[in-house]
Amino acid sequence: MPIQCSSCSEKRAALRRPKTGHSMCKQCFFGAFEEEVHQTIMAARLFKHGETVAIGASGGKDSTVLAYLMKTLNGRYRYGLNLVLLSVDEGISGYRDDSLETVKRNQRQYDLPLKIVSYEELYGWTMDAIVKLKKNNCTFCGVFRRQALDRGAIVLKVDKICTGHNADDVAETVLMNVLRGDIARLRRCTAISTASEGKGVVPRCKPLKYAYEKEIVLYAYFKKLDYFSTECVYSPNGYRGHARTFLGTSVRPSSIMDVIHSGENLSVKEGVKMPVQGTCSRCGYISSQALCKACVLLEGLNRGLPKLGIGKHHRLHDKILNQQPLTEKEERKLKAIDF
Ligand code: SF4
Ligand code: ZN
């Protein structure tokens, strides 16, 4: 016997919602999913009328659904936002070049302006070149991407950046921080929006924070959205992979929301010290150290010491960067480190 949609009770159900377990027809699912994202935006007051908002666009399912929804909801509910697409080209052949083609098609499909910033133009290095020197590539990529998005956003003079982080991403990050005992970071990773933390840092928000990844995939599939689904050729999946497997083994559909809510509650605990933020003495970007992480990593790359800034030798790194003399013991240690 065909199952009826539990919402309209008229049409046949086309899917079972991963978030709630309800059987629904396509139209009712679209309506419920869009309405939930709209409610998330309204409840957290993510945007103000007249703002220019950059949508971080990678061509993947999350950011494609985000771009489509922002365009749709902005028109339907008259948010009054000027939307632009902002993409980062990390310089990864066989991956980013193809996914950027998808973003360019999305630009035409959604009729939105597009700005692409590349690691090569910003830092003088592509990820392909970095990987030839250094295997631990995602550390570089993550640090560089954060700044690249901010720099692109400043060129575009936007008020905010919204990114396609979904509920699964947030729950994974909560778990990773709990497993590492890093309670101080929970606040930032569970926050739906972050204010500007200093010069050069544009406020960010996550309108899909409560949207389940499986529902994003279903939405993109049934809406026939044009997205790119290949993984990065350098993706190791490391620690996040463990958190993902851990969450994936849970049979309770609500476990993702449970983890997010526990992260939100843990993060508001008083007395958790946050690092004091200053600015990088070299590039002016926000940093709790004299040099920001991107400048330390770049210094290492340019000096042929690609491990500089990674791992546990922070004091040694600081001394080298500040060109301070090393003690004999430090000299021995430096030689022993496999740069
Ligand atoms: Fe960059 Fe790593 Fe992501 Fe690839 S998997 S885009 S190298 S962070
Ligand atoms: Zn810097």
Side-chain angles (χ1 to χ4, degrees):
M1 251 247 315
I3 300 171
Q4 292 294 106
C5 170
S6 64
S7 182
C8 67
S9 313
E10 285 169 13
K11 295 200 196 107
R12 270 168 76 163
L15 57 103
R16 214 174 123 100
R17 276 197 76 176
K19 193 171 183 174
T20 59
H22 292 146
S23 301
M24 280 190 161
C25 69
K26 269 198 288 188
Q27 285 311 321
C28 287
F29 169 65
F30 293 156
F33 185 80
E34 289 163 6
E35 193 55 27
E36 281 171 20
V37 175
H38 170 61
Q39 288 306 329
T40 302
I41 290 171
M42 297 313 282
R45 297 199 178 99
L46 293 188
F47 309 110
K48 288 198 199 93
H49 198 273
E51 278 182 335
T52 300
V53 177
I55 302 163
S58 68
K61 61 181 183 343
D62 300 308
S63 64
T64 303
V65 167
L66 178 66
Y68 177 82
L69 280 176
M70 288 297 293
K71 172 92 185 174
T72 305
L73 298 176
N74 190 35
R76 183 183 299 163
Y77 295 107
R78 301 182 197 280
Y79 293 163
L81 303 176
N82 304 310
L83 299 173
V84 290
L85 297 172
L86 174 58
S87 293
V88 176
D89 180 1
E90 297 94 343
I92 302 174
S93 42
Y95 167 64
R96 188 53 84 217
D97 37 7
D98 293 340
S99 67
L100 283 175
E101 288 307 312
T102 313
V103 179
K104 287 177 195 161
R105 287 199 302 276
N106 290 160
Q107 170 192 19
R108 292 192 291 274
Q109 289 153 356
Y110 307 152
D111 190 23
L112 295 172
L114 165 67
K115 164 90 185 149
I116 301 175
V117 284
S118 76
Y119 284 4
E120 187 156 36
E121 95 199 35
L122 289 176
Y123 308 113
W125 286 83
T126 62
M127 279 310 296
D128 285 340
I130 293 173
V131 170
K132 287 202 182 107
L133 291 178
K134 184 74 199 72
K135 291 271 181 313
N136 187 1
N137 42 70
C138 295
T139 307
F140 288 87
C141 199
V143 171
F144 288 167
R145 183 181 304 108
R146 185 168 176 82
Q147 281 203 16
L149 269 178
D150 276 326
R151 296 203 196 178
I154 286 166
V155 172
L156 289 169
K157 296 193 173 69
V158 306
D159 300 294
K160 263 168 209 154
I161 302 172
C162 62
T163 57
H165 291 98
N166 61 41
D168 299 53
D169 297 329
V170 178
E172 282 159 28
T173 313
V174 168
L175 271 186
M176 275 159 54
N177 287 326
V178 169
L179 296 176
R180 287 184 181 133
D182 196 344
I183 300 298
R185 280 204 190 177
L186 272 177
R187 184 175 307 172
R188 189 189 305 219
C189 81
T190 51
I192 190 159
S193 59
T194 50
S196 175
E197 296 155 325
K199 192 174 150 258
V201 183
V202 179
R204 296 193 181 202
C205 64
K206 306 175 189 131
L208 301 182
K209 179 186 170 187
Y210 298 114
Y212 278 30
E213 183 168 277
K214 282 185 182 158
E215 300 208 344
I216 291 173
V217 174
L218 283 172
Y219 187 84
Y221 172 76
F222 283 119
K223 280 273 178 188
K224 298 191 172 60
L225 299 186
D226 182 3
Y227 68 92
F228 182 77
S229 54
T230 308
E231 277 220 8
C232 170
V233 287
Y234 303 132
S235 168
N237 244 338
Y239 206 69
R240 184 168 286 274
H242 298 308
R244 179 161 287 230
T245 314
F246 191 78
L247 275 172
T249 51
S250 170
V251 284
R252 268 163 62 90
S254 68
S255 58
I256 290 171
M257 291 303 274
D258 295 343
V259 173
I260 295 178
H261 288 143
S262 63
E264 287 167 344
N265 291 333
L266 277 171
S267 68
V268 294
K269 247 173 109 177
E270 291 297 320
V272 175
K273 270 205 185 138
M274 299 299 282
V276 183
Q277 301 284 22
T279 46
C280 170
S281 60
R282 192 167 290 178
C283 73
Y285 193 75
I286 184 170
S287 172
S288 51
Q289 310 288 326
L291 287 184
C292 73
K293 189 85 177 159
C295 282
V296 174
L297 294 174
L298 272 177
E299 176 82 11
L301 284 173
N302 294 330
R303 282 193 186 203
L305 302 171
K307 281 195 183 168
L308 198 66
I310 298 174
K312 299 181 191 112
H313 310 286
H314 297 302
R315 219 167 64 83
L316 211 49
H317 293 162
D318 288 348
K319 279 193 144 184
I320 299 169
L321 289 169
N322 295 325
Q323 296 173 341
Q324 291 166 350
L326 301 179
T327 64
E328 260 181 50
K329 199 173 158 204
E330 285 169 339
E331 287 280 2
R332 279 202 303 277
K333 199 169 168 189
L334 182 62
K335 285 195 189 111
I337 301 170
D338 161 35
F339 278 131

